[in-house]
Amino acid sequence: MTNTFAKLLSERDWLLADGATGTNLFNMGLSSGDAPEMWNVDEPAKITALYKGSVDAGSDLFLTNTFGGNASRLKLHDAQARVHELNKAGAEIGREVADASGRNVIVAGSVGPTGDIMAPMGSLTHEIAVEMFHEQAEGLKAGGADVLWLETISAFEEYAAVAEAFAMADMPWCGTMSFDTAGRTMMGVTSKDMVRKVGKLANAPAAFGANCGTGASDLLRTILGMAEAGPAQPLIAKGNAGIPKYHDGHIHYDGTPELMADYATLARACGAKIIGGCCGTTPEHLKKMREALESSPKGPQPSLDQITAALGAFSSESDGTDGTGPARAARRGRRRG
């Protein structure tokens, strides 16, 4: 692990991560269906602005614009031969922004799902997955990322392939899954399942947790489940800024900066150490989150009623750990918002 990341984790009670990538890039003019990773080379000034927006808002850690930077995803844009180039470029821009910030800021190399289904349910073998993730990891490493950051994963088989690939790259890493189906991932993993499975990995992450999913309330219920399972590593909470709503041809998230400030302090009280936002989270949200975390001490662990009173109702009655969750279902990974 890089000295800076290890130092921040050991010295700080909490770290503020960044917000959305897709939401903010769409606000800059990215068209739906385009590969954001191309902008690392074609629109570097906009990617600089994306990263700088988070840093200026107070983030201690931000993710690179490389979520879909694996060969399977880039093949959809006939760019599968550009994995190393696009990931290296995304990390290099991040390194420049972090180094110019005047404080310790972590560049986290974002890695998302391949979009393919792992065997035996699908055609993606463990060996091919490891190869693809290793290729992406080497590009991020070459660009100067401090840590690799896996996110929005649904199948733990894919998570395990990433752990092996990141070991080959000799890079520290963090990894989150998306719990968006009645407290489970779309492939059936619960919060407590994840803690148990992470504990068995040969190459364990430096921190792990949940991102995206449904609303902020659901995500915090998941974090509570993880905390109760006794994880050995710090927990990560990156919840969406409210609930997505379609209006005037666009998707908007209804979470205000004030709501996300409440979410940030509740996330810390639930047991998360690295706290950020996902879809819909802008620098305006991050500023309020930073202010809230700095201006208030860590509170007692909240009840489920306290979470819903502050952030809204859960999307399902069950958090998946009581055996009433849905059956496993195949899916294709989606792009982080």
Side-chain angles (χ1 to χ4, degrees):
M1 182 182 319
T2 64
N3 290 335
T4 303
F5 189 44
K7 187 170 185 291
L8 287 179
L9 278 179
S10 64
E11 295 180 352
R12 294 276 301 278
D13 293 330
W14 54 269
L15 298 178
L16 181 66
D18 61 356
T21 295
T23 298
N24 291 300
L25 290 183
F26 288 136
N27 290 341
M28 294 180 186
L30 182 71
S31 297
S32 178
D34 289 347
E37 294 76 21
M38 299 299 188
W39 274 21
N40 295 339
V41 172
D42 299 336
E43 298 281 0
K46 291 183 178 179
I47 302 307
T48 297
L50 170 72
Y51 298 161
K52 196 169 184 299
S54 295
V55 173
D56 290 349
S59 293
D60 300 299
L61 175 154
F62 66 87
L63 277 57
T64 57
N65 177 43
T66 53
F67 178 81
N70 59 71
S72 182
R73 284 287 196 180
L74 291 177
K75 186 176 181 179
L76 301 175
H77 307 276
D78 196 27
Q80 63 270 29
R82 301 180 65 185
V83 171
H84 192 276
E85 171 200 2
L86 294 172
N87 282 276
K88 181 173 181 286
E92 285 176 338
I93 298 170
R95 185 77 272 148
E96 291 174 1
V97 171
D99 291 346
S101 68
R103 57 189 178 89
N104 289 330
V105 177
I106 302 302
V107 180
S110 174
V111 175
T114 61
D116 300 323
I117 304 299
M118 293 287 293
M121 296 179 67
S123 59
L124 180 62
T125 66
H126 176 81
E127 292 74 18
I128 293 174
V130 169
E131 181 181 350
M132 281 198 287
F133 287 125
H134 181 221
E135 180 183 25
Q136 186 176 8
E138 291 292 350
L140 292 165
K141 180 179 181 179
D146 293 297
V147 61
L148 302 177
W149 192 283
L150 177 68
E151 55 178 336
T152 325
I153 297 296
S154 291
F156 201 82
E157 292 84 354
E158 193 165 24
Y159 198 98
V162 169
E164 185 175 329
F166 289 175
M168 293 169 65
D170 193 24
M171 284 285 288
W173 67 288
C174 299
T176 58
M177 300 187 79
S178 182
F179 298 80
D180 52 9
T181 309
R184 297 170 179 254
T185 73
M186 285 291 286
M187 298 304 285
V189 181
T190 70
S191 57
K192 293 179 180 178
D193 288 338
M194 185 180 186
V195 175
R196 176 175 54 83
K197 290 175 181 292
V198 165
K200 295 181 179 180
L201 289 174
N203 178 35
F208 70 92
N211 80 292
C212 202
T214 50
S217 297
D218 289 59
L219 186 131
L220 292 191
R221 183 170 62 175
T222 294
I223 295 299
L224 282 176
M226 291 180 180
E228 291 171 1
Q233 298 92 346
L235 293 178
I236 300 166
K238 288 195 95 221
N240 293 339
I243 305 298
K245 296 183 178 179
Y246 191 79
H247 180 69
D248 290 338
H250 300 282
I251 297 294
H252 299 273
Y253 284 79
D254 64 4
T256 64
E258 289 73 23
L259 180 141
M260 290 302 283
D262 289 340
Y263 148 81
T265 56
L266 285 169
R268 179 177 57 182
C270 286
K273 184 166 186 175
I274 302 176
I275 302 162
C278 203
C279 302
T281 308
T282 68
E284 287 69 32
H285 294 94
L286 293 172
K287 289 176 185 176
K288 289 294 185 182
M289 292 165 67
R290 180 88 193 194
E291 291 172 3
L293 289 167
E294 287 184 331
S295 63
S296 62
K298 181 179 179 179
Q301 186 181 87
S303 66
L304 296 181
D305 286 343
Q306 288 173 320
I307 290 174
T308 56
L311 305 178
F314 298 123
S315 65
S316 64
E317 292 186 7
S318 170
D319 71 346
T321 61
D322 55 8
T324 63
R328 290 164 59 96
R331 75 182 288 254
R332 288 183 64 86
R334 66 179 180 281
R335 181 169 297 282
R336 180 170 64 98

